[in-house]
Amino acid sequence: MRILVSGGCKNGKSYIAQRLAKGQAKGRLYYVATMRPCDNEDIERIERHRREREGWGFDTVEQPVDINKCLDSCDTDASFLLDSTTALLANEMFPGSDSVNMDAPARVAGELVSLCQQVRDIVIVSDYIYSDAILYDELTDAYRRGLAYIDRTLAAVCDVVLEVAFGSITLHKGGEVFSALYEKVL
Amino acid sequence: MVLVFGGAWQGKLEYVIQNYGVREDEIFYCDDSSEIDFSKKAVYGLDRLILNIIRDGADPLEYIKSNLDRISDKIIICTDISSGVVPMDPVLRQWREAVGRCMALLARSAERVVRIFCGIGTVLK
């Protein structure tokens, strides 16, 4: 199954996504990490996430850009967890300190759909960053708009779309196919 | 009245066009306006209208209250700006609260309330 998981920051999205990816696994289980560490805080965050995944059976693949290249080193007949579209788009859209790729959202959305079509099972984590009362600058809003475009594109091709709020789930799509997996893992 | 809300860029307008058969020329885009064109079927960007009214020094909740009858047959589309950090700018703070109060009033008056998440609509009322 293809599952999109979104919601606010520190709401338990990654934990639920890990359980779903593990629940879907019949053979190999991959964690596709997209974050490119910028400072010590990021390195510590990555280390913490890595420790949390210990013992779950994930093989970690680092793929901060060109997401489909992760398949070069993976068996496609497997269960994947991609965490997250947010970091992936940031890496693709802002490759250097003063360069911006405005075409990144459309390209990344297409690449993610292609990834979804090539693997047996996948859970993709995104971030819901759309309900604050801030008038953003043009570039930040273009990033937000781009991430929302990726979310909507993925929501259309995914079997299940979930919103996580502090560990609780709202199901926006795929209730029937999801219930069996839900009973198994949650 | 139908109230359609959701975060920024969630596909609210597309949802309304697809589900309510609204044509482009039947949509009022609030943009820089402080008043609704009541001849249109749908009102897009109520959050912007509320900000414009505040910047004019007027009370958006009063404006909505006094025009409830005239919007009773409209589809109102509003961005949910209620779930972020309290803004430093006092105008944006006022905006955030006014949008919340106006949306609560509209949701009470509406026959139907729909929340859009990643392009998917959920009917809440």
Side-chain angles (χ1 to χ4, degrees):
Chain A
M1 254 192 312
R2 300 163 189 161
I3 304 175
L4 176 66
V5 177
S6 193
C9 137
K10 297 286 156 263
N11 270 255
K13 299 187 299 292
S14 293
Y15 179 68
I16 284 173
Q18 278 169 222
R19 296 185 74 150
L20 295 173
K22 175 120 180 104
Q24 297 205 96
K26 294 180 186 75
R28 301 202 71 157
L29 181 58
Y30 295 106
Y31 182 92
V32 184
T34 54
M35 193 183 205
R36 180 180 271 161
C38 297
D39 52 24
N40 280 337
E41 198 182 311
D42 286 345
I43 291 167
E44 280 172 25
R45 182 177 294 121
I46 288 169
E47 228 2 85
R48 192 175 61 239
H49 272 230
R50 198 186 280 277
R51 277 198 306 275
E52 280 168 8
R53 290 198 304 276
E54 255 172 36
W56 285 64
F58 282 102
D59 288 326
T60 300
V61 187
E62 307 272 352
Q63 198 64 55
V65 290
D66 295 319
I67 197 65
N68 281 300
K69 285 203 175 134
C70 72
L71 297 179
D72 294 351
S73 56
C74 295
D75 175 7
T76 54
D77 186 29
S79 175
F80 288 73
L81 168 54
L82 190 154
D83 196 349
S84 64
T85 56
T86 319
L88 176 64
L89 180 63
N91 297 336
E92 293 276 14
M93 203 164 163
F94 309 110
S97 54
D98 51 0
S99 55
V100 182
N101 285 334
M102 294 303 274
D103 63 341
R107 182 169 49 77
V108 171
E111 288 171 3
L112 286 169
V113 170
S114 159
L115 179 67
C116 284
Q117 288 163 343
Q118 291 178 74
V119 301
R120 197 191 63 215
D121 294 308
I122 189 163
V123 180
I124 296 179
V125 179
S126 192
D127 286 271
Y128 190 82
I129 53 167
Y130 311 106
S131 285
D132 48 6
I134 296 174
L135 297 170
Y136 286 102
D137 61 279
E138 217 169 291
L139 208 53
T140 310
D141 208 38
Y143 170 76
R144 232 160 57 117
R145 183 181 192 165
L147 189 64
Y149 174 75
I150 291 171
D151 287 347
R152 298 201 312 275
T153 305
L154 287 173
V157 299
C158 279
D159 307 295
V160 172
V161 178
L162 296 180
E163 179 182 9
V164 179
F166 308 110
S168 296
I169 286 174
T170 303
L171 200 54
H172 290 280
K173 183 180 178 183
E176 283 161 35
V177 284
F178 184 64
S179 58
L181 178 63
Y182 184 82
E183 277 164 28
K184 185 174 163 190
V185 302
L186 297 166
Chain B
M1 189 207 310
V2 177
L3 174 65
V4 176
F5 76 91
W9 310 117
Q10 295 302 296
K12 299 183 287 294
L13 186 57
E14 204 182 318
Y15 178 90
V16 166
I17 290 169
Q18 281 179 5
N19 289 273
Y20 293 96
V22 176
R23 293 194 317 267
E24 186 60 37
D25 63 336
E26 295 174 317
I27 303 165
F28 173 65
Y29 292 90
C30 291
D31 295 334
D32 296 326
S33 307
S34 304
E35 280 181 62
I36 294 169
D37 175 352
F38 297 104
S39 69
K40 306 276 187 175
K41 197 168 159 186
V43 176
Y44 174 80
L46 189 80
D47 47 296
R48 296 309 293 227
L49 182 103
I50 291 169
L51 181 59
N52 298 334
I53 292 174
I54 290 169
R55 283 179 170 160
D56 291 346
D59 182 346
L61 189 61
E62 277 310 312
Y63 177 78
I64 300 291
K65 268 185 192 165
S66 56
N67 287 292
L68 264 185
D69 289 349
R70 301 171 82 184
I71 56 174
S72 61
D73 60 343
K74 310 280 179 239
I75 299 164
I76 309 278
I77 303 160
C78 190
T79 301
D80 174 11
I81 56 161
S82 68
S83 301
V85 174
V86 176
M88 293 288 281
D89 182 337
V91 171
L92 297 184
R93 276 206 298 279
Q94 229 182 311
W95 177 45
R96 181 174 180 260
E97 292 191 8
V99 170
R101 290 199 187 99
C102 290
M103 274 173 54
L105 172 65
L106 291 169
R108 276 199 302 277
S109 315
E111 291 99 63
R112 174 174 285 213
V113 178
V114 186
R115 179 185 176 222
I116 313 295
F117 181 87
C118 298
I120 302 166
T122 301
V123 177
L124 304 181
K125 176 182 174 183

